[in-house]
Amino acid sequence: TQAANAALWRPYDLQPPFAAKYPDSGRELSDGVLTVAGFSDGRTVGWYHVSPVVTFDLGRTTALSRLRLHAQGGGQAAVHFPATVDIAIAAEDGLWQPLPPRLRPLEFVVPADASPARHIGWAECDLAGSRARQLRLRFDSPQAGWTMLSEIEVIDTNGANLAPAITYALQPIPSSE
């Protein structure tokens, strides 16, 4: 019998921190501060040409309602909205179970008057009926370029956004210069 890895998907710190062009201090994706101008205002976390994974530790098994994602896309400066998000959940035992695809393609709602440089919007995924201790999100885009996330909200069945009070880990760390 193999022992469970207690460090799997747990947050950690690197000392000294890795230099990143669009870094994350461990709170940018859940601080409630949305990007207005896109990557230029420093309110996004970015990865170049990879499929980033964000894993939330909810602290206890929780009934979930939905997931809300705020991001930049549109193609300007090679910044694209994620096309899909693969969602997996884990209970207290730490065993991951993928959820069936919820939205394919992932559709971001952008204001009609948005300029190409400001294609910024929200997408939502229904999580009703899911109970999780941990939530893992893998973002993917079929186009080469940047994935720029601004905010992630994890909504419970009471309508509360859990993200500001919980920790998350990123894999890989945001792209470097």
Side-chain angles (χ1 to χ4, degrees), residues 112-129:
D113 62 347
S115 70
R118 289 193 171 86
H119 274 225
I120 300 165
W122 287 97
E124 290 194 21
C125 296
D126 180 17
L127 299 178

Side-chain angles (χ1 to χ4, degrees), residues 22 39-40 47-48 72-80 116-117 144-148:
Y22 301 103
F39 62 85
S40 65
W47 296 264
Y48 184 73
Q72 180 184 7
Q76 178 134 349
V79 177
H80 302 283
W146 288 93
T147 299
M148 304 298 291

